[in-house]
Amino acid sequence: MVNVEEFIDEATTEIREAVGDANAIIALSGGVDSSVAAALAYRAIGDQLTPVYVDTGLMRKGETDQIRETFAFMDSLEVVEAQGRFLDALAGVTDPEEKRHVIGEQFIREFEREARETNAEYLVQGTIYPDRIESEGNIKSHHNVGGLPDVVDFEGIVEPVRDLYKDEVREVARALDLEAVISERMPFPGPGLAVRIIGEVTEEKLAVARDANHVVEEEVAEHDPWQAFAAVIGKATGVKGDNRVHGWVVSVRSVESRDGMTARAQNLPWETLQRIQSRITGENDDVARVVYDVTHKPPATIEYE
Amino acid sequence: MSEPRIVVIDNHGQFTHLEGRALRDVGVDTEILDNDTDPADIDADGLVLSGGPSMDRVGRCADYLDLDVPVFGICLGLQFIAEELGGRVESGDYGGYADVDVRIRDGEDPLVGSLAPETRTWASHADEVVEAPEGFAVTADSDVCGVEAMSDTDRDLYGVQWHPEVSHTERGQEVFENFVSICE
């Protein structure tokens, strides 16, 4: 385990040296990685920093409001309402890698605009070690690594937690006094709910994914998973109130892990699974069935795309 | 003798960095090097050959077997040692993914003997060693794979098919501790 106090000192110094007197913006997603990167950068360069949170429309229920609240202490926090632009960019895109690429590019475009407005020359990102490994191994490209367009206006990119594992980032978060809502938060992918929707991202599927993720997080909280979520994976037949439904199939996944490199599908009680099933099909007219993913990693990855 | 220095050779494996982390957690001096590193530039009391996607991408691993220090191959690293020294590797009938219960066949083996009689491992492989090279003893097996571990204690060459470096392998850290003892 990394020495947390030493790490914070070193990372803060590194950010200060890299950015100098210039301005920087931080891609704040609300996840523990970017929150720690943001807190470190804020500590290092204070007002020179603009934390930018982009509401992509791919966020979880209530997420944007929660971000506003948690990071209210950073005066320069910018919340960008980009929901429409992301959905437009994603229209018709079905290939998983293309999806990540489109989102990555749109992210960067949003950031570039904010950077110009704040005269920021540096971009800070919360990339962690496993992100880099998975990108290098071509398993999946991560939006904060693989999706970067060739032409970036920034002078440089600073990734202060690039050598840490998730469990180590959490240690740092606790040492930085970030609220438990951040430090103990489940991992959430950069491309958001888009990678929990197989095929094209539409408003209809997003609404299902958002509600189903909320249900899963609530219902499994007491089982303390490393990560738990729902994905919209296709369509199938159902019958609701004597009517045939050709509705969405929602896959529920709940895993135990230390570092995300390997994961075990959680042995959830049948009652919990049934309650999840009942709520998701009951609250969403167009969901025909709910399935539970029992696959470990390997051979599956944790997320679907 | 002071703590040994153990170098991890990266064969482009997903978990290579976790091997570095496991050794770091044992408390030894460790470094991860690319597998095209000149053997003359390697300063080590022991080597770990990591897993990886393909036997075509093992770089200069063959040269590293001549460095006269203990070598510990993991997954593809094990398969490489087997193939290089005259054993046989084939595509298994049944890939080993996630949980695999491994039976330890030699309780005296310096690398895996302490895990006897059985240990729960985490694996990820399609290929497997079907014939260990001359001089090697098969020290562990499982229902899905006949050579889960092999050792040549005379030459200090070792390998396991599973991934002791991942957190879901029970007692994986112990395997690294055992290897460190071999290197002392």
Side-chain angles (χ1 to χ4, degrees):
Chain A
M1 193 64 82
V2 66
N3 181 320
V4 171
E5 297 304 326
E6 264 176 37
F7 171 80
I8 291 173
D9 283 346
E10 283 169 17
T12 312
T13 307
E14 184 197 325
I15 295 165
R16 206 177 285 129
E17 282 172 1
V19 178
D21 294 329
N23 288 331
I25 64 170
I26 289 173
L28 185 64
S29 73
V32 64
D33 305 341
S34 66
S35 295
V36 165
L40 288 169
Y42 193 75
R43 193 176 267 232
I45 56 171
D47 290 344
Q48 289 160 252
L49 167 83
T50 304
V52 176
Y53 169 82
V54 178
D55 188 338
T56 59
L58 307 169
M59 316 309 293
R60 286 171 292 186
K61 196 171 182 174
E63 195 148 29
T64 301
D65 290 339
Q66 195 204 319
I67 298 288
R68 283 185 215 271
E69 202 174 303
T70 307
F71 294 94
F73 70 96
M74 296 179 179
D75 287 339
S76 47
L77 176 67
E78 289 282 340
V79 175
V80 181
E81 305 275 353
Q83 298 94 316
R85 291 193 287 278
F86 276 86
L87 266 184
D88 287 349
L90 283 166
V93 180
T94 56
D95 179 74
E97 281 302 297
E98 177 65 13
K99 227 189 255 182
R100 281 178 180 259
H101 183 72
V102 165
I103 293 166
E105 289 216 337
Q106 189 63 36
F107 255 118
I108 294 297
R109 244 171 260 138
E110 302 289 341
F111 285 133
E112 279 184 315
R113 192 193 55 244
E114 295 301 311
R116 273 195 300 277
E117 283 172 16
T118 56
N119 290 319
E121 291 171 30
Y122 289 85
L123 174 68
V124 182
Q125 295 202 116
T127 312
I128 65 170
Y129 203 105
D131 296 341
R132 291 162 54 205
I133 295 298
E134 292 206 332
S135 290
E136 282 165 16
N138 289 321
I139 306 297
K140 287 178 192 171
S141 63
H142 281 257
H143 81 277
N144 44 7
V145 185
L148 274 179
D150 293 334
V151 186
V152 179
D153 281 349
F154 298 106
E155 188 74 24
I157 295 176
V158 185
E159 297 176 320
V161 292
R162 66 185 174 277
D163 290 330
L164 300 189
Y165 292 92
K166 187 71 86 181
D167 55 318
E168 296 176 319
V169 177
R170 289 192 202 284
E171 289 280 319
V172 176
R174 290 176 204 122
L176 287 170
D177 288 328
L178 286 176
E179 293 172 48
V181 66
I182 295 293
S183 64
E184 313 311 319
R185 183 191 189 100
M186 279 184 213
F188 185 60
L193 296 174
V195 295
R196 294 178 181 174
I197 293 171
I198 307 291
E200 187 181 7
V201 178
T202 62
E203 294 225 40
E204 186 192 343
K205 284 153 98 177
L206 258 177
V208 172
R210 188 173 290 120
D211 183 73
N213 272 275
H214 179 66
V215 168
V216 171
E217 285 193 24
E218 272 192 357
E219 295 294 342
V220 304
E222 64 176 299
H223 300 287
D224 205 22
W226 192 76
Q227 192 170 355
F229 62 90
V232 178
I233 60 172
K235 277 201 153 181
T237 304
V239 55
K240 283 182 162 179
D242 294 327
N243 289 306
R244 180 181 182 276
V245 186
H246 192 232
W248 301 111
V249 180
V250 170
S251 175
V252 173
R253 188 142 171 74
S254 187
V255 300
E256 295 161 355
S257 181
R258 176 188 69 171
D259 45 32
M261 295 304 299
T262 51
R264 181 187 295 282
Q266 231 181 355
N267 187 5
L268 290 179
W270 182 249
E271 293 71 26
T272 304
L273 292 169
Q274 281 302 326
R275 207 160 44 242
I276 290 170
Q277 174 275 122
S278 168
R279 281 186 63 186
I280 294 175
T281 54
E283 291 169 14
N284 296 276
D285 291 342
D286 46 1
V287 172
R289 66 183 68 204
V290 173
V291 299
Y292 186 56
D293 188 338
V294 298
T295 325
H296 304 313
K297 172 185 181 176
T301 54
I302 296 176
E303 295 283 352
Y304 276 75
E305 289 193 336
Chain B
M1 187 176 161
S2 62
E3 288 289 355
R5 178 180 151 76
I6 297 180
V7 164
V8 178
I9 301 296
D10 181 14
N11 289 315
H12 313 284
Q14 286 284 294
F15 304 128
T16 303
H17 55 107
L18 291 180
E19 290 153 13
R21 179 177 181 171
L23 289 163
R24 186 187 77 183
D25 289 351
V26 174
V28 298
D29 182 15
T30 184
E31 185 182 10
I32 296 175
L33 294 177
D34 290 336
N35 64 6
D36 57 1
T37 304
D38 189 331
D41 294 338
I42 295 179
D43 167 28
D45 303 305
L47 289 178
V48 171
L49 304 183
S50 85
S54 163
M55 201 68 93
D56 299 333
R57 297 184 65 194
V58 295
R60 303 186 67 172
C61 275
D63 297 337
Y64 306 147
L65 295 183
D66 299 330
L67 285 175
D68 207 28
V69 295
V71 176
F72 174 22
I74 295 173
C75 198
L76 183 81
L78 160 88
Q79 295 168 11
F80 162 77
I81 292 172
E83 193 163 283
E84 178 67 19
L85 299 179
R88 244 170 2 106
V89 176
E90 282 179 6
S91 179
D93 293 336
Y94 191 109
Y97 299 104
D99 290 310
V100 177
D101 286 315
V102 167
R103 290 178 294 266
I104 304 299
R105 283 166 47 167
D106 177 4
E108 302 298 312
D109 180 64
L111 188 74
V112 300
S114 70
L115 305 175
E118 212 172 73
T119 189
R120 168 63 66 92
T121 72
W122 205 261
S124 185
H125 64 99
D127 295 344
E128 61 185 60
V129 176
V130 292
E131 195 184 307
E134 214 177 302
F136 279 80
V138 176
T139 53
D141 63 11
S142 72
D143 289 345
V144 296
C145 174
V147 183
E148 287 284 0
M150 64 179 197
S151 296
D152 179 340
T153 50
D154 290 341
R155 287 186 284 180
D156 265 337
L157 300 176
Y158 304 87
V160 300
Q161 182 57 67
W162 70 89
H163 285 279
E165 69 277 23
V166 307
S167 64
H168 284 97
T169 291
E170 286 174 8
R171 300 171 73 186
Q173 193 67 14
E174 192 174 322
V175 177
F176 286 96
E177 286 164 11
N178 292 342
F179 183 62
V180 168
S181 298
I182 290 167
C183 298
E184 276 169 347

